[in-house]
Amino acid sequence: MLLAVLSGFILAFLAPWLTPRLGRAVGWLFGLLPAALFVWFASFIPVVASGETLLFSYPWVPGLDINLTFLLDGLSLLFALLISGIGTFIVIYAGYYLHGEAYQGRFYLLILAFMASMLGLVLSSNLVALFVFWELTSITSYLLIGYHHEEGKARASALQGLFVTVAGGLALLAGLVLLAVAGGSYELSELLTSGDVVREHALYLPLLLLILLGTFTKSAQFPFHFWLPNAMAAPTPVSAYLHSATMVKAGVYLMARLNPTLGGTETWLLLLGLIGATTMLIGSYMALRSTGVKQVLAYSTVMALGTLTMLIGVGTEKAITAAVAFLLAHSLYKGALFMIAGIIDHETGIKDFRELGGLRSAMPLTALFAGIAALSLAGIAPLFGFVAKELMFEAVLEAPAIGTVITLFAVASAMMVVAIAAVIGLRPWFGPRLPTKKTPHEAPPSLLAGPAVLATLGLLFGLLPMLPGQHLLSAAALAVAGEPIEVYLSLWHGFNLPLLLSATSLAVGLLLYWQWSRVQPALARLAAWDHLGPERGYEKVMASIVSISDSHTRLVQNGYLRYYILTIISTLLLLLAWTILTRYPVLPSPDLSGIAPHTFTILAITALAALYAVTTRSRLGAVAALGALGFGVALIYVLFSAADVGITQVLVETITVIMLVLVLFRLPGFLDFTLSGSRLRDGFIAVLFGGTITLILLMTTEVQFFPPISEYFIENSGPLGHGRNIVNVILVDFRAIDTLGEIFVLALAAIGVYAMLKLRAEDRKS
Amino acid sequence: MRMHSLILRTAGHFLLPLLILFSLWLLLRGHNEPGGGFIGGLVAAAAIALYLFTMDLQAARKALWVDPRNLIGIGLTLAVLSAIPGAVLHGQPFFTSQWWPMTLPLLGEVKLSTPLIFDIGVYLVVIGSVLTIVLFLAEAEE
């Protein structure tokens, strides 16, 4: 299992090296890996269909008790089969589609890495591993949307997709941690059975909202749906794979996966049901409004994702059956349609439905498969899409609440979807032949393989719905429901309300298509209202982040060292004083009797030196006074038998004086720049800060929170550290990693000073 | 920046090797008596700085042999490397100290150890950091 997940990554990292060496065969050869994975996963169908859940566990960070656990049940198996199956055709397709492109090797690196991450995501049982794979899919998606990185639009769309999904990912991380706290485990396999505990937990609402924020952004739910159509800047194989069949379904997967743990509450039903239904309606409306081939498909994907979310929200037996059936149906027809969109673009160079027509005679096979897939999208018998749509209508009609609203939404959406399907399935192929940029030919086998197989499967599953239903879908529905449910798929349900709704939407949809050339521009005029839409919100948020950080930087990083120090010291002062005053109001009364008189003499000298350094107008005098102060402190260290610290202090003082002497003569003459007011302020803060620190030092001698650790060092420095000098043993052995940090800081400081001086010296020269 | 004192210049020639030896002595005795890499490094850096004042920049750079910036890198590398033997050889946590006592001719019993390597790393970083700054300031001076 580990190999199955990792093999994609391994091949991915070899891909840039292999791609130029394999030439034209690259697609077919790379396709062998996902194909082998598909066969391997398919061999689990009998075991999983019998209701078993397989767990594979590998230690990952044993010290923290994090295991890499993979869970294979109906749901993850369904996803794994879709990912590897559609992945096979995408890899083959890209071999021809992107042949001769400069970055084909990079493309294979990313798409294979994505496939492996997606497999990891749907198979992970550990929440941490799941999250890591989740973010990996976001990152590979970002890189793939920005594949044509020379184009500004591709870069902007990639960044938008990344920001939206990764912002959601952060929320998801918080949500998953809360879920683990509430459910008492990071393992999905254990969380799936502790649903009652989680739903009753005080953290249920916050963790639900955080997780849904993650899934809604990932699966392009309203109001985060805007990034998905923009992601169409990616090459078509990417759109077909990531942005319709797999990655955008990661959110749907997680909601379905967590349904036994989180689902069934009123909040769940309302949130998922209403937001899903809204997304569905907006998706189909936007699809009907658009004319770009990939835009239409992208919005219809938004519609499908909304439908899935809504069905998971409804959560009845019927709804869950409908969800898994719809998931399969959508992946089949949408994968096929996207690949056909790529073929149209590749053969004609045209990306807009208004400029397409009469291509049937030039590419009959493509037209045939487009027609079949579009029938499935429209939900017309005998395609599998029809089975799924009938189930969807039944489910929304039986919904335990908000049934009327979502039924209305579903019917309205279905009408528009029929029209969209007709636009895709009829418009480019029939009617008068419109002029094209290139002379279209029938697509080669590598491009046609995907649409052919996927569309045919859609037809086959429609005619024999028990074929997927009996084994795979029932196991998947079982996993989503968390308890055995009866899955019965059939083409013919008899004359009932769902059939009536289907027929109505079909009739209205065809009417809409008949008038498409009028309906579409009318709807497109509504685009004037888009400035009220969520995408503008995203732009505003991004713009305000930039302007806030701009003004914030100007305020905080003002470039005046004195203000930095002032800020640091006053903040520390406030925090310390606050803590002391509120918690330890009793002032310490130090016992001074044991201190020898000569100590006081040294103290007096250092105090005088400090006073002189502050008041003198001679720089050399100030340096000398600071030196005297430092030597005084060193003397005190020696008096209290801290020889090492004393020696260090003396040496540091020496070196400091050397450095100061080196720069002293370069400074301009001493002038008073500061006003007496600000000097008073600085003096006041300095005295207050010094006083507070003194107070704290005195208090620490009286209050002892913990037994001092020095006892341990004194006892063990000899036996464990092989040394009698405790200070040194602590520095280089007991707390070596602290010292390592310190010497790194020292090195960085030296490099910083060096860089600063060097830059200045070069400025001078030029 | 040169100090035109004949006594200091003559003494500088003798003081430099003595002070460097002294710094090495401080470094090596550090585990048992006051001293160690930090103190030793400061003494060595001060010795070179003294040489800089008595002779000139070229002489000081020559006396140092290597660019002080490289000393920082070498020192940090040594310090990090000293953390690894325990982890690799015995699977112990990072920075677990290792001791290899051995008897050498003339010197008698010597305890080689990873803390010693670490301390040498500290010694080099301190020399490198201080002299990077001091020598560059002196250069800017000229």
Side-chain angles (χ1 to χ4, degrees):
Chain A
M1 179 57 89
L2 193 60
L3 184 68
V5 175
L6 292 184
S7 59
F9 286 118
I10 295 167
L11 185 60
F13 287 110
L14 294 175
W17 182 76
L18 281 174
T19 307
R21 283 167 180 75
L22 295 176
R24 283 197 165 272
V26 64
W28 294 99
L29 288 174
F30 281 176
L32 289 175
L33 175 72
L37 288 175
F38 181 83
V39 173
W40 189 71
F41 282 121
S43 71
F44 285 100
I45 293 180
V47 189
V48 171
S50 66
E52 250 185 86
T53 301
L54 302 170
L55 274 179
F56 305 80
S57 189
Y58 307 91
W60 187 11
V61 191
L64 294 177
D65 219 13
I66 296 178
N67 290 328
L68 205 52
T69 325
F70 295 112
L71 177 144
L72 195 66
D73 63 0
L75 184 65
S76 44
L77 184 60
L78 174 63
F79 267 93
L81 286 172
L82 285 175
I83 293 160
S84 55
I86 297 180
T88 307
F89 295 112
I90 294 292
V91 167
I92 294 170
Y93 184 92
Y96 184 87
Y97 189 83
L98 292 174
H99 183 74
E101 290 243 359
Y103 310 114
Q104 203 186 7
R106 193 185 296 172
F107 173 84
Y108 274 120
L109 163 71
L110 294 172
I111 200 112
L112 289 168
F114 164 76
M115 184 189 77
S117 324
M118 193 68 205
L119 280 175
L121 165 57
V122 298
L123 292 167
S124 286
S125 170
N126 187 285
L127 291 181
V128 177
L130 183 143
F131 178 76
V132 170
F133 286 119
W134 176 284
E135 292 295 66
L136 274 175
T137 63
S138 288
I139 292 166
T140 41
S141 155
Y142 161 70
L143 293 168
L144 283 166
I145 299 173
Y147 175 71
H148 293 296
H149 57 82
E150 315 83 17
E151 294 164 25
K153 191 183 174 307
R155 292 199 303 273
S157 302
L159 211 53
Q160 189 186 51
L162 183 75
F163 280 146
V164 173
T165 52
V166 168
L170 275 179
L172 177 72
L173 177 62
L176 290 179
V177 171
L178 289 185
L179 174 63
V181 170
S185 169
Y186 273 98
E187 292 296 320
L188 274 174
S189 48
E190 288 166 34
L191 285 169
L192 289 179
T193 53
S194 53
D196 294 329
V197 183
V198 175
R199 277 186 290 265
E200 294 299 313
H201 202 275
L203 288 171
Y204 173 71
L205 192 63
L207 79 86
L208 177 68
L209 290 178
L210 286 168
I211 289 176
L212 289 186
L213 206 55
T215 59
F216 283 2
T217 49
K218 191 85 165 177
S219 282
Q221 297 296 307
F222 177 83
F224 308 111
H225 62 278
F226 55 86
W227 72 265
L228 183 57
N230 289 336
M232 293 300 125
T236 305
V238 175
S239 311
Y241 195 33
L242 274 72
H243 304 123
S244 82
T246 54
M247 187 195 96
V248 288
K249 294 218 177 85
V252 172
Y253 164 78
L254 194 60
M255 288 186 274
R257 169 55 79 212
L258 292 175
N259 182 44
T261 318
L262 301 176
T265 61
E266 229 164 74
T267 330
W268 174 269
L269 170 64
L270 281 177
L271 272 176
L272 267 68
L274 286 181
I275 291 188
T278 312
T279 310
M280 171 178 74
L281 194 66
I282 286 184
S284 42
Y285 153 71
M286 292 296 284
L288 189 59
R289 202 178 92 174
S290 310
T291 58
V293 178
K294 284 176 77 181
Q295 294 295 316
V296 171
L297 291 175
Y299 279 120
S300 77
T301 305
V302 172
M303 175 281 294
L305 294 169
T307 311
L308 287 168
T309 305
M310 172 187 80
L311 287 172
I312 295 169
V314 171
T316 54
E317 277 191 19
K318 268 275 158 24
I320 286 169
T321 314
V324 292
F326 193 87
L327 177 81
L328 178 62
H330 175 257
S331 295
L332 293 177
Y333 68 69
K334 194 54 66 66
L337 287 176
F338 259 113
M339 286 193 250
I340 286 165
I343 294 175
I344 296 177
D345 184 19
H346 198 264
E347 294 296 324
T348 66
I350 288 177
K351 299 174 159 72
D352 195 305
F353 276 122
R354 285 171 300 185
E355 297 164 27
L356 289 165
L359 289 172
R360 175 181 38 134
S361 51
M363 29 213 301
L365 283 174
T366 314
L368 173 69
F369 297 128
I372 299 176
L375 281 176
S376 195
L377 166 64
I380 292 172
L383 276 299
F384 193 56
F386 172 75
V387 179
K389 196 174 75 170
E390 292 293 284
L391 277 169
M392 190 261 283
F393 278 139
E394 279 183 46
V396 292
L397 283 169
E398 287 175 11
I402 56 168
T404 331
V405 184
I406 58 175
T407 308
L408 281 176
F409 277 32
V411 173
S413 160
M415 291 170 180
M416 292 190 269
V417 168
V418 170
I420 300 160
V423 169
I424 300 167
L426 301 176
R427 193 167 173 89
W429 320 105
F430 294 94
R433 175 81 168 269
L434 295 178
T436 49
K437 288 180 194 157
K438 300 183 201 166
T439 321
H441 298 288
E442 186 56 88
S446 47
L447 294 190
L448 262 183
V453 173
L454 297 180
T456 316
L457 278 178
L459 181 61
L460 185 69
F461 289 169
L463 292 170
L464 301 164
M466 287 323 282
L467 207 59
Q470 210 165 13
H471 301 292
L472 196 53
L473 293 186
S474 58
L478 164 78
V480 178
E483 59 202 7
I485 59 174
E486 200 178 313
V487 173
Y488 180 71
L489 300 183
S490 73
L491 195 56
W492 182 245
H493 290 247
F495 291 101
N496 53 13
L497 195 51
L499 190 70
L500 184 67
L501 292 177
S502 269
T504 321
S505 54
L506 185 64
V508 178
L510 287 176
L511 205 66
L512 279 173
Y513 172 66
W514 180 47
Q515 294 292 334
W516 186 70
S517 47
R518 279 188 216 163
V519 170
Q520 187 273 326
L523 288 175
R525 247 170 270 136
L526 291 176
W529 295 91
D530 280 6
H531 64 274
L532 300 174
E535 184 165 12
R536 188 53 68 88
Y538 165 82
E539 283 162 14
K540 279 203 177 131
V541 168
M542 296 315 287
S544 59
I545 287 175
V546 171
S547 73
I548 287 173
S549 59
D550 192 49
S551 59
H552 173 264
T553 308
R554 226 171 290 173
L555 181 75
V556 177
Q557 311 247 335
N558 48 41
Y560 293 106
L561 188 61
R562 51 183 176 277
Y563 291 139
Y564 294 165
I565 294 177
L566 194 67
T567 314
I568 293 168
I569 292 203
S570 359
T571 313
L572 195 58
L573 186 61
L574 273 178
L575 292 174
L576 288 177
W578 173 260
T579 315
I580 292 173
L581 289 177
T582 49
R583 296 210 193 160
Y584 311 104
V586 184
L587 289 179
S589 50
D591 173 24
L592 300 177
S593 58
I595 301 174
H598 54 264
T599 314
F600 283 109
T601 320
I602 298 168
L603 281 177
I605 293 170
T606 49
L608 276 176
L611 204 63
Y612 181 76
V614 175
T615 51
T616 182
R617 297 175 68 86
S618 143
R619 286 219 176 83
L620 202 59
V623 170
L626 279 178
L629 194 157
F631 283 113
V633 173
L635 261 178
I636 290 176
Y637 286 143
V638 175
L639 281 180
F640 287 90
S641 62
D644 274 275
V645 191
I647 296 172
T648 312
Q649 175 77 22
V650 168
L651 287 166
V652 168
E653 283 307 324
T654 314
I655 304 265
T656 314
V657 170
I658 292 174
M659 286 189 190
L660 280 172
V661 166
L662 280 171
V663 294
L664 208 57
F665 298 108
R666 304 173 57 80
L667 296 173
F670 195 91
L671 286 172
D672 269 331
F673 287 111
T674 44
L675 301 169
S676 55
S678 53
R679 248 186 294 167
L680 261 178
R681 174 200 64 199
D682 294 350
F684 179 69
I685 289 176
V687 169
L688 216 56
F689 186 63
T692 312
I693 296 293
T694 313
L695 199 63
I696 288 171
L697 281 177
L698 288 176
M699 285 166 72
T700 51
T701 57
E702 292 192 358
V703 189
Q704 192 108 68
F705 293 104
F706 306 101
I709 194 171
S710 45
E711 293 301 322
Y712 172 85
F713 289 137
I714 292 167
E715 273 168 29
N716 290 302
S717 135
L720 292 180
H722 300 265
R724 288 192 303 276
N725 181 357
I726 299 162
V727 176
N728 189 263
V729 171
I730 292 174
L731 280 178
V732 299
D733 193 347
F734 287 149
R735 308 184 68 169
I737 207 151
D738 282 2
T739 313
L740 185 72
E742 279 153 25
I743 57 176
F744 264 100
V745 170
L746 187 63
L748 276 176
I751 293 167
V753 171
Y754 180 78
M756 224 155 64
L757 292 171
K758 184 103 184 159
L759 277 176
R760 214 176 148 74
E762 276 165 14
D763 263 6
R764 285 271 168 81
K765 263 181 218 159
S766 63
Chain B
M1 187 80 302
R2 268 166 86 180
M3 298 202 178
H4 301 280
S5 152
L6 188 64
I7 300 172
L8 197 58
R9 287 193 64 182
T10 319
H13 279 292
F14 297 102
L15 278 178
L16 178 68
L18 280 177
L19 280 172
I20 297 288
L21 270 180
F22 178 60
S23 78
L24 287 171
W25 177 72
L26 279 174
L27 162 71
L28 293 177
R29 82 199 277 261
H31 220 55
N32 290 322
E33 309 291 335
F38 198 82
I39 291 173
L42 286 173
V43 168
I48 301 278
L50 178 67
Y51 198 66
L52 167 75
F53 286 129
T54 57
M55 312 301 279
D56 59 13
L57 185 63
Q58 271 67 40
R61 281 202 189 282
K62 228 171 129 185
L64 190 60
W65 275 4
V66 279
D67 191 322
R69 287 171 297 172
N70 292 347
L71 284 181
I72 301 180
I74 298 168
L76 287 179
T77 314
L78 274 182
V80 173
L81 283 180
S82 79
I84 294 172
V88 172
L89 295 178
H90 306 295
Q92 290 160 329
F94 213 54
F95 271 121
T96 307
S97 59
Q98 305 296 315
W99 293 82
W100 301 285
M102 55 181 77
T103 321
L104 290 181
L106 295 177
L107 294 173
E109 204 205 358
V110 173
K111 282 188 201 161
L112 274 181
S113 64
T114 54
L116 180 65
I117 301 174
F118 184 81
D119 222 8
I120 294 171
V122 174
Y123 177 78
L124 293 177
V125 171
V126 171
I127 300 179
S129 303
V130 172
L131 288 182
T132 300
I133 300 172
V134 168
L135 291 182
F136 196 86
L137 283 173
E139 194 179 312
E141 194 75 11
E142 282 178 3

